[in-house]
Structure formats: structure tokens, C-alpha cells
């Protein structure tokens, strides 16, 4: 780990021979081709048209690799030194985001642009360090090709992803985001904010002890978060419903449930009962309006209807807690 962070055991780029620069370029082109194919594989199920773009970009990288191998064969023979980007100090690295599923289409496009920009800068620097005319020409040509890949990507997108298809893919990605994160998070926030109102305010008015009330709220929030998280994971594996990873949904639900309860439990760390209670009520007010906003923003629920439902439900639970606490 330390060697990766501080560059221990790595070669400075300036120390590479021309043969090693060619070998590094070959391995980099091979890696980028594999990454583009991994992007294509990851997008094929949900975004088949965009997957074709990355398939063709991978073929372009294969062509670059073949040109570099042929040049190496002419100048240095068949044996290519084993040198990769992780062996060179200060050389750009590729983040392993192609291993994550599902892939976000916009994120993948942005990452591809970054890859091409980094490759362009490498070939520019590599050409400066090369004295052989044919090698320098090839590296300069590859730099121009990498710089032109943004135009290539745009042409491929127009070919495989026309406007209507792009809009359709964006809508599909938005639906997936809502199903995997927004819906579970909203369910958790509603449960954490509303279901913990009664025990927290009942404890507050029954004991008038702010720290004991905080402990009740902490236990209720964490317990509800764990329960909701495991329930979400166990309820649906996401394969048939298309709701995405159950682990992601479970973590989202559990965290938002705990946060929903902790929001109005934390004020009871204040040792003054009425100050803590008034602040907790204010926090509850903002929590309920946040829930209404999310329902309106992502679930297309009319705002005032969402607000009425959430505020009415929260008010009833709050009143139940106060009445039980004063009994």
C-alpha cells in the first residue's frame, strides 16, 4: 500500500528507455481496450446501444496496440519487456470502476473522456523522449488519435445512440436510481422519522430527563435502522423486480432509518428539557417537509398532498407519544 501511495519501488518515467516506453504504451493500450470491453459488457444489459460505442472504441485501442507491437518488432525484436503503468512513478492509473455493477452511463462517458485525455498526455511526453524518427512519428500520430477520440466517441454516439435512444437510456438510468436508492431511502427516512416519534417524546414527557430520552432515541433509531436494513435485503433480491442490489438498498434503507430517528434524538443531548424538546420539534418539522419534498421530486406526488399525508401522520404519532408520556 505504501509503495503505491509514495511510489516506492517505481521507476521514474524519465529513466525509461525507448524500448520500455514502447512496452509501456503497448500494455496501456491493452489495458484500455479491456476496460472499454468491460464497460460494454456492463452496459449491454441496460444500455445496448451505448455498449456498441465502447466495443468500437476497444477495437480502436486494439489497432493502436498492434501498431506499437509492429514498431517494437522492427526496432527491438519479439521480446517485449514486462512494464505496466503501476511500475512507473507518477504515471496515471485507472480506477477500477468498471468492476462495479450496475454502471452509470454518464459516469462511464466521463471516465472514457478522462482516459483518452491521459493517454494523449502520455504520448506527447513519450514522443519528446524518443530520438528515433519512426517511433516519434508513431507516438505523435497516436497522440493526435487519442486527442481525436472525443470526436470519435461523438460520431459513434450519433451512429449507435441517436437522440431518442439517449433520452431513453437516461430515463432508464433515472428509474434505476429511484428504485435502488430513492425509494428505499425514502421508506427508511419515513420509518425512522415517524415511528420513533412516539417512543422518544413519550420518554421525554414521562421522565423529563434529557439524557435518558437521548438513550431511548438512540436505541430506537439504531434498532429500527438495523431492522429495516435487513428487511429490505431479505424482501427482494432485485433480479425480477429490477430494483438493483439488495445490499445497496438495505444499506440505504438502514442508514436513512437511523438518521431519521437520530435527527430528533440528538437535541436531547442538551441538558435543558424545554430547550431540547423545542429543538427536537423543529427538527421533526424539517424532517417531515424533507420527506414531502423527496416524494414530490422523485415520486411525482403532488407536494401539498405529500405534505398533508406526512405531516398528518407525524402529528398523530407525536401526539400519541406526548399523551402516553403524560399519562
Amino acid at each position: 500500500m505504501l509503495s503505491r501511495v509514495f511510489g516506492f519501488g517505481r521507476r521514474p518515467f524519465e529513466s525509461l528507455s525507448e524500448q520500455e516506453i514502447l512496452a509501456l504504451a503497448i500494455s496501456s493500450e491493452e489495458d484500455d481496450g479491456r476496460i472499454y470491453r468491460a464497460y460494454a459488457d456492463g452496459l449491454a444489459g441496460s444500455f445496448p446501444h451505448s455498449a456498441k460505442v465502447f466495443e468500437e472504441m476497444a477495437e480502436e485501442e486494439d489497432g493502436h496496440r498492434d501498431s506499437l507491437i509492429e514498431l517494437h518488432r522492427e526496432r527491438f525484436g519479439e521480446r517485449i519487456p514486462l512494464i505496466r503503468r503501476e511500475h512507473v512513478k507518477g504515471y496515471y492509473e485507472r480506477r477500477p470502476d468498471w468492476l462495479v455493477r450496475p454502471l452509470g452511463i454518464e459516469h462511464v462517458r466521463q471516465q472514457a473522456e478522462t482516459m483518452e485525455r491521459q493517454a494523449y498526455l502520455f504520448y506527447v511526453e513519450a514522443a519528446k523522449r524518443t530520438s528515433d524518427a519512426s517511433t516519434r512519428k508513431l507516438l505523435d500520430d497516436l497522440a493526435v488519435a487519442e486527442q481525436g477520440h472525443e470526436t470519435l466517441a461523438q460520431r459513434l454516439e450519433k451512429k449507435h445512440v441517436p437522440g431518442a435512444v439517449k433520452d431513453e437510456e437516461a430515463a432508464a438510468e433515472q428509474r434505476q436510481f429511484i428504485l435502488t436508492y430513492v425509494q428505499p431511502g425514502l421508506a427508511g427516512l419515513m420509518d425512522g422519522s415517524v415511528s420513533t416519534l412516539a417512543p422518544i417524546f413519550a420518554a421525554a414527557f414521562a421522565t423529563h430527563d434529557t439524557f435518558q430520552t437521548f438513550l431511548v432515541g438512540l436505541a430506537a433509531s439504531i434498532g429500527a435502522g438495523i431492522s429495516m436494513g435487513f428487511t429490505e435485503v431479505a424482501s427482494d433480491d432485485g433480479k425480477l423486480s429490477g430494483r438493483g442490489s439488495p445490499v445497496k438498498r438495505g444499506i440505504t434503507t438502514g442508514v436513512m432509518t437511523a438518521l431519521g430517528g437520530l435527527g430528533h434524538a440528538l437535541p436531547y443531548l442538551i441538558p435543558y428539557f424545554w430547550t431540547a424538546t423545542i429543538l427536537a420539534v423543529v427538527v421533526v418539522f424539517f424532517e417531515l417537509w424533507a420527506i414531502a419534498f423527496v416524494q414530490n421530486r422523485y415520486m411525482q406526488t403532488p407536494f401539498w398532498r405529500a405534505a398533508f399525508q406526512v405531516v398528518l401522520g407525524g402529528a398523530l404519532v407525536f401526539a400519541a407519544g406526548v399523551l402516553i408520556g403524560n399519562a
Side-chain angles (χ1 to χ4, degrees), residues 175-195:
R175 285 195 301 272
Q176 189 63 61
F177 173 74
I178 291 174
L179 290 172
T180 304
Y181 295 104
V182 176
Q183 281 187 348
L186 181 61
L189 185 60
M190 291 178 66
D191 185 83
S193 297
V194 176
S195 69

Side-chain angles (χ1 to χ4, degrees), residues 1-324:
M1 176 61 74
L2 290 176
S3 64
R4 292 179 65 85
V5 175
F6 296 105
F8 299 149
R10 292 186 176 190
R11 293 274 303 278
F13 182 75
E14 294 77 12
S15 72
L16 300 182
S17 66
E18 291 190 13
Q19 183 183 16
E20 290 170 331
I21 289 175
L22 275 178
L24 179 60
I26 291 168
S27 66
S28 296
E29 292 291 348
E30 288 176 342
D31 288 345
D32 287 355
R34 291 191 187 100
I35 291 171
Y36 285 139
R37 286 191 171 88
Y39 283 156
D41 291 341
L43 296 172
S46 302
F47 310 107
H49 298 282
S50 289
K52 293 178 182 178
V53 172
F54 289 100
E55 285 285 0
E56 292 199 25
M57 292 185 73
E59 292 174 5
E60 182 84 3
E61 300 300 319
D62 290 345
H64 293 178
R65 178 205 59 201
D66 293 343
S67 298
L68 288 164
I69 290 176
E70 184 60 34
L71 178 62
H72 185 280
R73 181 180 291 114
E74 292 174 2
R75 291 198 60 197
F76 303 108
E78 296 290 338
R79 297 183 183 275
I80 301 174
L82 178 59
I83 182 168
R84 306 178 68 85
R85 55 170 58 95
E86 60 266 24
H87 303 151
V88 180
K89 187 175 182 180
Y91 196 67
Y92 63 84
E93 296 183 357
R94 298 299 191 217
R95 295 170 55 191
D97 54 357
W98 60 89
L99 300 175
V100 179
R101 296 293 187 274
L103 294 175
I105 183 64
E106 288 303 323
H107 173 76
V108 169
R109 287 171 179 151
Q110 293 170 7
Q111 190 62 21
E113 291 178 7
T114 301
M115 289 171 60
E116 300 303 334
R117 183 168 60 253
Q118 290 173 335
Y120 162 73
L121 293 174
F122 163 69
Y123 283 123
V124 169
E125 290 301 314
K128 292 177 183 177
R129 298 191 48 76
T130 303
S131 58
D132 179 75
S134 60
T135 303
R136 185 161 190 162
K137 181 179 184 305
L138 175 60
L139 294 174
D140 283 334
D141 290 345
L142 289 175
V144 172
E146 297 292 350
Q147 192 176 34
H149 267 192
E150 183 176 355
T151 304
L152 171 65
Q154 291 172 354
R155 291 201 309 270
L156 292 175
E157 278 204 9
K158 288 180 180 178
K159 173 182 174 183
H160 295 297
V161 192
V165 173
K166 192 170 185 178
D167 292 341
E168 186 178 310
E169 290 186 345
E173 186 173 33
Q174 177 74 356
R175 285 195 301 272
Q176 189 63 61
F177 173 74
I178 291 174
L179 290 172
T180 304
Y181 295 104
V182 176
Q183 281 187 348
L186 181 61
L189 185 60
M190 291 178 66
D191 185 83
S193 297
V194 176
S195 69
T196 58
L197 286 176
I200 290 175
F201 285 102
F205 282 92
T207 65
H208 281 248
D209 185 325
T210 57
F211 187 69
Q212 294 300 320
T213 301
F214 167 73
L215 292 179
V216 170
L218 181 64
S221 301
I222 293 178
I226 294 172
S227 174
M228 286 287 289
F230 276 101
T231 299
E232 181 64 34
V233 170
S235 65
D236 180 9
D237 63 7
K239 293 180 180 178
L240 295 179
S241 64
R243 297 179 64 214
S245 166
V247 175
K248 291 180 180 178
R249 298 195 329 267
I251 291 174
T252 301
T253 303
V255 169
M256 294 307 296
T257 301
L259 290 177
L262 287 173
H264 45 269
L266 288 174
Y268 282 100
L269 287 171
I270 300 171
Y272 304 104
F273 174 75
W274 284 110
T275 302
T277 299
I278 292 171
L279 181 57
V281 171
V282 172
V283 171
V284 170
F285 175 81
F286 282 105
E287 287 174 348
L288 297 180
W289 281 100
I291 292 170
F293 171 79
V294 173
Q295 284 186 320
N296 173 255
R297 172 67 176 80
Y298 291 101
M299 314 305 292
Q300 283 77 51
T301 304
F303 182 78
W304 290 111
R305 190 175 81 184
F308 176 76
Q309 292 172 342
V310 172
V311 172
L312 177 61
L316 291 174
V317 177
F318 172 78
V322 173
L323 290 173
I324 294 171

